[in-house]
Amino acid sequence: MSVKILNAASLPNMPWEDRTQNDKHDAPVWRYSRNPIIGRNPAPGVARIFNSAVAPHGDGYIAVLRGEQTDGVPHIYLGHSKDGIDWEVDPMGKVPFVDESGKPFMPHYAYDPRLVKVEDTYYIMWCTDFYGAAIGLAKTRDFKTFTRLENPFLPFNRNAVLFPRKINGKFKMLSRPSDSGHTPFGDIFVSESPDLVYWGRHRHVMQRGSAWWESMKIGGGSAPIETTEGWLLFYHGVVNTCSGYVYSFSAAILDIDEPSVVKYRCRNFLITPEEPYEEAGFVANVCFPCATVHDADTGRIAIYYGAADTYVAMAFTQVDLLVDYVKKHSEVTEADTEIGVR
Ligand code: BMA
């Protein structure tokens, strides 16, 4: 392997399926043949699960699931899986968030959760109601007590993704400032914090792309994966068409010590809606990545993405093939490569 995954555990039991011989996709990313892995009405009172994040846990996997309740309000549910493919929704229902004194502190709504382990703690970021769409943040060590921390940013903001380790001693989080509605604009920024309470030193990371599929807005997807070439970030990009927004995803590689600097950014999408479960559903034409699991030994990466705001689906890639592809098709602007202060 020419490119290696760094600072990640071995995951010999990770979900995986080899690419089929007759796969005609240009990019070295292929869908799981049994997609989607979570279908409609997956739990009592939950109509759809999508845009959800997974992490290795114990001898299997755990997930924070975006569950759209039958009253239409999204909340976070826990999922458990032995193999990362077949999931059970935790019967406790909505994740019971508490404040730092232990009192119940539920968000009005919670969607698009990400799950990132830093040192010995798991952090959940989601889009919350803070007098408008903003970022919620909570921590847990045991998946029994979920303590909310201060909301890191002012409204309006979405798509928060924490880096899986501190950089130069500081926590770093990607986010996408937005508006109160369907946000017809948006670039990715990074902010840092010594303590997960005070956030600052905001830097611009990358702007919506010149390529058509990502020409309206972009947003961070999965937690960046540390590699020998830099931080590998899967992110979504949106284009407005005659029949509405279309969400595809691709990848960029950020500088290891200064992740506001984009080293490479793929001009092509890696996955765009083209399967029935991506093209049709509650919201048509959405592929929305929120997590990966990956194995440092083999370089295998499994991507979890939401499909059509209805299902959870998976795709696979191999770090060296993917990084080669991103580099080969890379196109970065000055707004991407500069440190991002103005
Ligand atoms: C965005 C978010 C995502 C959703 C997408 C498409 O604004 O709400 O959760 O997948 O729209 O509806």
Side-chain angles (χ1 to χ4, degrees), residues 24-335:
K24 294 200 179 62
H25 277 270
D26 186 33
V29 178
W30 55 99
R31 292 169 174 84
Y32 181 44
S33 61
R34 287 175 50 219
N35 273 347
I37 58 165
I38 303 182
R40 284 183 189 264
N41 300 308
V46 180
R48 301 180 305 280
I49 284 178
F50 55 99
N51 300 4
S52 300
V54 174
H57 185 246
D59 59 359
Y61 297 88
I62 199 153
V64 288
L65 306 169
R66 169 178 175 165
E68 218 80 347
Q69 303 176 128
T70 45
D71 63 4
V73 178
H75 272 285
I76 300 173
Y77 293 74
L78 273 193
H80 305 278
S81 174
K82 281 270 169 246
D83 61 5
I85 294 174
D86 289 322
W87 288 90
E88 272 176 29
V89 181
D90 194 298
M92 79 174 167
K94 289 184 264 194
V95 165
F97 291 105
V98 295
D99 66 16
E100 292 190 65
S101 73
K103 285 210 295 274
F105 185 30
M106 289 300 280
H108 291 168
Y109 59 69
Y111 63 82
D112 298 354
R114 312 304 203 274
L115 177 64
V116 185
K117 190 178 184 195
V118 186
E119 295 160 7
D120 57 358
T121 304
Y122 292 85
Y123 296 94
I124 305 170
M125 296 116 258
W126 69 93
C127 184
T128 206
D129 169 38
F130 178 39
Y131 302 88
I135 303 303
L137 179 63
K139 65 177 178 184
T140 186
R141 288 202 176 161
D142 55 8
F143 289 95
K144 292 191 171 69
T145 303
F146 300 85
T147 308
R148 283 181 67 183
L149 306 174
E150 290 289 330
N151 295 331
F153 310 126
L154 295 169
F156 305 102
N157 201 319
R158 290 184 177 87
N159 300 306
V161 189
L162 197 62
F163 281 73
R165 70 164 170 83
K166 292 177 182 168
I167 299 176
N168 300 321
K170 302 282 181 4
F171 291 98
K172 295 258 187 188
M173 187 142 70
L174 299 171
S175 74
R176 207 283 307 288
S178 60
D179 70 11
S180 59
H182 290 291
T183 311
F185 63 88
D187 293 356
I188 299 174
F189 288 77
V190 64
S191 308
E192 74 172 41
S193 174
D195 54 9
L196 292 166
V197 174
Y198 296 98
W199 291 89
R201 296 178 67 91
H202 312 290
R203 300 286 180 266
H204 181 268
V205 178
M206 55 198 271
Q207 64 184 4
R208 63 188 117 163
S210 55
W212 194 66
W213 65 269
E214 54 169 337
S215 54
M216 197 176 73
K217 57 178 170 175
I218 56 174
S222 50
I225 300 171
E226 188 168 1
T227 77
T228 44
E229 289 287 326
W231 294 104
L232 173 61
L233 172 70
F234 293 98
Y235 69 96
H236 68 258
V238 186
V239 59
N240 196 9
T241 71
C242 296
S243 54
Y245 292 2
V246 175
Y247 283 70
S248 307
F249 67 86
S250 193
I253 297 169
L254 316 179
D255 186 83
I256 281 290
D257 296 315
E258 185 47 82
S260 69
V261 171
V262 181
K263 288 172 68 182
Y264 309 101
R265 174 177 180 173
C266 190
R267 188 184 162 72
N268 300 342
F269 54 74
L270 299 173
I271 294 276
T272 199
E274 56 191 9
E275 293 291 337
Y277 54 87
E278 298 164 343
E279 291 178 329
F282 189 74
V283 179
N285 296 316
V286 181
C287 294
F288 195 94
C290 290
T292 65
V293 297
H294 41 272
D295 175 32
D297 298 337
T298 56
R300 292 175 169 181
I301 300 173
I303 305 163
Y304 291 86
Y305 66 101
D309 285 11
T310 304
Y311 311 104
V312 177
M314 294 181 79
F316 303 104
T317 186
Q318 186 84 42
V319 72
D320 46 355
L321 299 178
L322 180 70
V323 169
D324 282 355
Y325 184 85
V326 170
K327 286 168 81 169
K328 187 165 159 210
H329 298 282
S330 178
E331 191 177 284
V332 286
T333 64
E334 205 183 314

